[in-house]
Amino acid sequence: MLNNIRKNIEAKINQKLTDSEFEKLSGWFVPVQLENKIQFVSEGKVCRILYFVDKGATHTFIIDKKGEKHTIQFGFDGYWIGDMYSFFSGKPAIFNVETLEATTLFTMPHTDFEKACEQIPKFENFFRILVQNGYLSSLQRIAKSFSEDAEQRYTSLIQSQPDLPQRVPQYLVASYLSIKPQSLSRIRQNLVKKKKH
């Protein structure tokens, strides 16, 4: 049942988990099934739970003073998600997370996360790499928002996540790119024209 987590960890650290390490780790994860459009992390509330997306899709967003949603991240099969700020600091969450389709998650409370890091060094190593990569991709995204136009950012996004247009509503993709849905429609039309030539 937790095979995707095992594969995910082993691929990242380039090392196998022993069966006893994996068995111990498995005891700290709890499966959760959620329907589409269920918000399971809310800004302003402390989130001391780590989530692994076994199957499904989610989006992380903030709500501005006008009540508009701004998508920060998408999470698909094999992604680790949640509000990391709240998870590590114990302070109220700054993000919201919601499902975009029926989703199976594995959850791990912070207390068990600490035990896992302490008792299974490979898991701690894995998480250090995960956080490091997350930080680097955030920096890359900030840099691209200044150096690339919307079409280039959309093209990079689709290259890295080819099934995104099928799984995510267009208005959320536009929100993630910080553009209006109409602009995204134009970009998509332009790309189709370019392919034909």
Side-chain angles (χ1 to χ4, degrees):
M1 201 180 176
L2 287 155
N3 277 345
N4 289 337
I5 289 181
R6 187 175 196 163
K7 283 182 203 157
N8 191 275
I9 292 170
E10 290 177 345
K12 196 77 79 189
I13 62 171
N14 218 0
Q15 241 183 323
K16 295 275 181 215
L17 288 169
T18 64
D19 288 344
S20 65
E21 285 170 333
F22 181 61
E23 204 175 306
K24 195 180 258 191
L25 200 56
S26 300
W28 289 310
F29 283 103
V30 179
V32 177
Q33 302 272 357
L34 295 178
E35 292 305 309
N36 185 15
K37 289 197 175 358
I38 301 290
Q39 189 174 317
F40 56 96
V41 176
S42 300
E43 60 185 290
K45 291 181 183 170
V46 175
C47 173
R48 295 290 260 177
I49 295 175
L50 179 66
Y51 299 89
F52 175 81
V53 182
D54 192 53
K55 191 164 177 41
T58 65
H59 77 124
T60 301
F61 62 95
I62 55 169
I63 300 170
D64 66 20
K65 286 175 182 161
K66 294 175 189 165
E68 282 182 41
K69 288 182 181 181
H70 299 274
T71 297
I72 306 298
Q73 185 187 26
F74 298 109
F76 300 108
D77 313 15
Y79 278 59
W80 296 80
I81 56 167
D83 187 301
M84 294 303 171
Y85 169 77
S86 186
F87 182 74
F88 287 116
S89 70
K91 292 178 179 170
I94 48 179
F95 299 116
N96 305 280
V97 190
E98 182 181 63
T99 56
L100 293 172
E101 57 192 41
T103 298
T104 303
L105 300 165
F106 282 103
T107 67
M108 181 188 264
H110 187 267
T111 46
D112 289 341
F113 171 81
E114 290 293 341
K115 284 182 214 162
C117 287
E118 205 174 286
Q119 294 176 34
I120 306 169
K122 286 175 196 167
F123 182 73
E124 185 178 38
N125 182 30
F126 162 75
F127 225 79
R128 181 185 58 76
I129 294 167
L130 197 73
V131 170
Q132 196 174 289
N133 290 351
Y135 177 65
L136 294 177
S137 67
S138 296
L139 289 180
Q140 207 172 17
R141 190 175 164 209
I142 292 165
K144 280 182 176 180
S145 71
F146 291 108
S147 64
E148 292 184 351
D149 64 27
E151 188 174 306
Q152 288 171 312
R153 295 202 311 276
Y154 176 71
T155 306
S156 312
L157 181 64
I158 299 311
Q159 279 168 349
S160 66
Q161 297 172 341
D163 61 346
L164 188 102
Q166 285 75 48
R167 298 180 75 179
V168 174
Q170 194 168 314
Y171 74 94
L172 290 180
V173 178
S175 167
Y176 177 80
L177 295 167
S178 304
I179 58 174
K180 294 271 181 276
Q182 306 88 288
S183 305
L184 181 56
S185 292
R186 274 197 302 276
I187 288 169
R188 290 175 69 161
Q189 284 161 6
N190 286 345
L191 291 171
V192 169
K193 281 178 198 163
K194 283 180 186 173
K195 272 184 189 169
K196 285 176 182 172
H197 292 305

PDB file of all heavy atoms in Angstrom, residues 24-35:
ATOM      1  N   LYS A  24       8.930  -0.065   9.800  1.00  0.00           N
ATOM      2  CA  LYS A  24       8.851   0.926  10.886  1.00  0.00           C
ATOM      3  C   LYS A  24       8.221   2.223  10.366  1.00  0.00           C
ATOM      4  O   LYS A  24       7.317   2.780  10.969  1.00  0.00           O
ATOM      5  CB  LYS A  24      10.261   1.203  11.416  1.00  0.00           C
ATOM      6  CG  LYS A  24      10.295   1.928  12.742  1.00  0.00           C
ATOM      7  CD  LYS A  24      11.723   2.162  13.195  1.00  0.00           C
ATOM      8  CE  LYS A  24      12.119   1.166  14.262  1.00  0.00           C
ATOM      9  NZ  LYS A  24      13.413   1.533  14.897  1.00  0.00           N
ATOM     10  N   LEU A  25       8.684   2.661   9.197  1.00  0.00           N
ATOM     11  CA  LEU A  25       8.178   3.887   8.580  1.00  0.00           C
ATOM     12  C   LEU A  25       6.686   3.777   8.276  1.00  0.00           C
ATOM     13  O   LEU A  25       5.919   4.713   8.513  1.00  0.00           O
ATOM     14  CB  LEU A  25       8.973   4.146   7.286  1.00  0.00           C
ATOM     15  CG  LEU A  25       8.977   5.542   6.694  1.00  0.00           C
ATOM     16  CD1 LEU A  25       9.462   6.575   7.706  1.00  0.00           C
ATOM     17  CD2 LEU A  25       9.861   5.583   5.453  1.00  0.00           C
ATOM     18  N   SER A  26       6.290   2.626   7.776  1.00  0.00           N
ATOM     19  CA  SER A  26       4.881   2.389   7.424  1.00  0.00           C
ATOM     20  C   SER A  26       3.942   2.605   8.610  1.00  0.00           C
ATOM     21  O   SER A  26       2.810   3.053   8.436  1.00  0.00           O
ATOM     22  CB  SER A  26       4.688   0.960   6.915  1.00  0.00           C
ATOM     23  OG  SER A  26       5.479   0.752   5.779  1.00  0.00           O
ATOM     24  N   GLY A  27       4.434   2.291   9.792  1.00  0.00           N
ATOM     25  CA  GLY A  27       3.608   2.431  11.001  1.00  0.00           C
ATOM     26  C   GLY A  27       3.270   3.874  11.337  1.00  0.00           C
ATOM     27  O   GLY A  27       2.334   4.139  12.112  1.00  0.00           O
ATOM     28  N   TRP A  28       4.008   4.823  10.752  1.00  0.00           N
ATOM     29  CA  TRP A  28       3.768   6.241  11.060  1.00  0.00           C
ATOM     30  C   TRP A  28       2.874   6.940  10.035  1.00  0.00           C
ATOM     31  O   TRP A  28       2.511   8.094  10.209  1.00  0.00           O
ATOM     32  CB  TRP A  28       5.099   6.988  11.172  1.00  0.00           C
ATOM     33  CG  TRP A  28       5.884   6.633  12.399  1.00  0.00           C
ATOM     34  CD1 TRP A  28       5.422   6.599  13.684  1.00  0.00           C
ATOM     35  CD2 TRP A  28       7.272   6.264  12.466  1.00  0.00           C
ATOM     36  NE1 TRP A  28       6.429   6.232  14.545  1.00  0.00           N
ATOM     37  CE2 TRP A  28       7.585   6.021  13.824  1.00  0.00           C
ATOM     38  CE3 TRP A  28       8.274   6.117  11.515  1.00  0.00           C
ATOM     39  CZ2 TRP A  28       8.857   5.645  14.261  1.00  0.00           C
ATOM     40  CZ3 TRP A  28       9.541   5.740  11.935  1.00  0.00           C
ATOM     41  CH2 TRP A  28       9.828   5.509  13.297  1.00  0.00           C
ATOM     42  N   PHE A  29       2.522   6.244   8.968  1.00  0.00           N
ATOM     43  CA  PHE A  29       1.656   6.842   7.940  1.00  0.00           C
ATOM     44  C   PHE A  29       0.213   6.358   8.062  1.00  0.00           C
ATOM     45  O   PHE A  29      -0.028   5.180   8.285  1.00  0.00           O
ATOM     46  CB  PHE A  29       2.169   6.504   6.530  1.00  0.00           C
ATOM     47  CG  PHE A  29       3.352   7.322   6.104  1.00  0.00           C
ATOM     48  CD1 PHE A  29       4.631   6.779   6.129  1.00  0.00           C
ATOM     49  CD2 PHE A  29       3.191   8.636   5.681  1.00  0.00           C
ATOM     50  CE1 PHE A  29       5.733   7.536   5.732  1.00  0.00           C
ATOM     51  CE2 PHE A  29       4.283   9.395   5.288  1.00  0.00           C
ATOM     52  CZ  PHE A  29       5.552   8.848   5.310  1.00  0.00           C
ATOM     53  N   VAL A  30      -0.711   7.296   7.898  1.00  0.00           N
ATOM     54  CA  VAL A  30      -2.141   6.958   7.960  1.00  0.00           C
ATOM     55  C   VAL A  30      -2.785   7.313   6.613  1.00  0.00           C
ATOM     56  O   VAL A  30      -2.671   8.453   6.156  1.00  0.00           O
ATOM     57  CB  VAL A  30      -2.845   7.752   9.096  1.00  0.00           C
ATOM     58  CG1 VAL A  30      -4.332   7.428   9.155  1.00  0.00           C
ATOM     59  CG2 VAL A  30      -2.177   7.468  10.440  1.00  0.00           C
ATOM     60  N   PRO A  31      -3.478   6.341   5.955  1.00  0.00           N
ATOM     61  CA  PRO A  31      -4.120   6.655   4.680  1.00  0.00           C
ATOM     62  C   PRO A  31      -5.400   7.472   4.857  1.00  0.00           C
ATOM     63  O   PRO A  31      -6.153   7.256   5.804  1.00  0.00           O
ATOM     64  CB  PRO A  31      -4.435   5.278   4.087  1.00  0.00           C
ATOM     65  CG  PRO A  31      -4.479   4.355   5.249  1.00  0.00           C
ATOM     66  CD  PRO A  31      -3.663   4.951   6.348  1.00  0.00           C
ATOM     67  N   VAL A  32      -5.617   8.421   3.958  1.00  0.00           N
ATOM     68  CA  VAL A  32      -6.831   9.256   3.988  1.00  0.00           C
ATOM     69  C   VAL A  32      -7.375   9.377   2.568  1.00  0.00           C
ATOM     70  O   VAL A  32      -6.617   9.663   1.642  1.00  0.00           O
ATOM     71  CB  VAL A  32      -6.514  10.682   4.534  1.00  0.00           C
ATOM     72  CG1 VAL A  32      -7.749  11.575   4.490  1.00  0.00           C
ATOM     73  CG2 VAL A  32      -5.981  10.617   5.956  1.00  0.00           C
ATOM     74  N   GLN A  33      -8.667   9.149   2.397  1.00  0.00           N
ATOM     75  CA  GLN A  33      -9.307   9.291   1.084  1.00  0.00           C
ATOM     76  C   GLN A  33     -10.130  10.575   1.101  1.00  0.00           C
ATOM     77  O   GLN A  33     -10.930  10.767   2.015  1.00  0.00           O
ATOM     78  CB  GLN A  33     -10.282   8.128   0.821  1.00  0.00           C
ATOM     79  CG  GLN A  33      -9.645   6.756   0.880  1.00  0.00           C
ATOM     80  CD  GLN A  33      -9.084   6.331  -0.466  1.00  0.00           C
ATOM     81  OE1 GLN A  33      -9.216   7.048  -1.450  1.00  0.00           O
ATOM     82  NE2 GLN A  33      -8.444   5.181  -0.509  1.00  0.00           N
ATOM     83  N   LEU A  34      -9.921  11.448   0.120  1.00  0.00           N
ATOM     84  CA  LEU A  34     -10.694  12.687   0.055  1.00  0.00           C
ATOM     85  C   LEU A  34     -11.366  12.822  -1.305  1.00  0.00           C
ATOM     86  O   LEU A  34     -10.792  12.459  -2.328  1.00  0.00           O
ATOM     87  CB  LEU A  34      -9.786  13.911   0.280  1.00  0.00           C
ATOM     88  CG  LEU A  34      -9.127  14.067   1.652  1.00  0.00           C
ATOM     89  CD1 LEU A  34      -8.232  15.293   1.661  1.00  0.00           C
ATOM     90  CD2 LEU A  34     -10.143  14.165   2.777  1.00  0.00           C
ATOM     91  N   GLU A  35     -12.561  13.375  -1.296  1.00  0.00           N
ATOM     92  CA  GLU A  35     -13.275  13.653  -2.549  1.00  0.00           C
ATOM     93  C   GLU A  35     -12.688  14.909  -3.194  1.00  0.00           C
ATOM     94  O   GLU A  35     -11.858  15.587  -2.593  1.00  0.00           O
ATOM     95  CB  GLU A  35     -14.774  13.882  -2.260  1.00  0.00           C
ATOM     96  CG  GLU A  35     -15.515  12.636  -1.785  1.00  0.00           C
ATOM     97  CD  GLU A  35     -15.382  11.471  -2.735  1.00  0.00           C
ATOM     98  OE1 GLU A  35     -15.647  11.664  -3.946  1.00  0.00           O
ATOM     99  OE2 GLU A  35     -14.979  10.383  -2.300  1.00  0.00           O
TER     100      GLU A  35
END
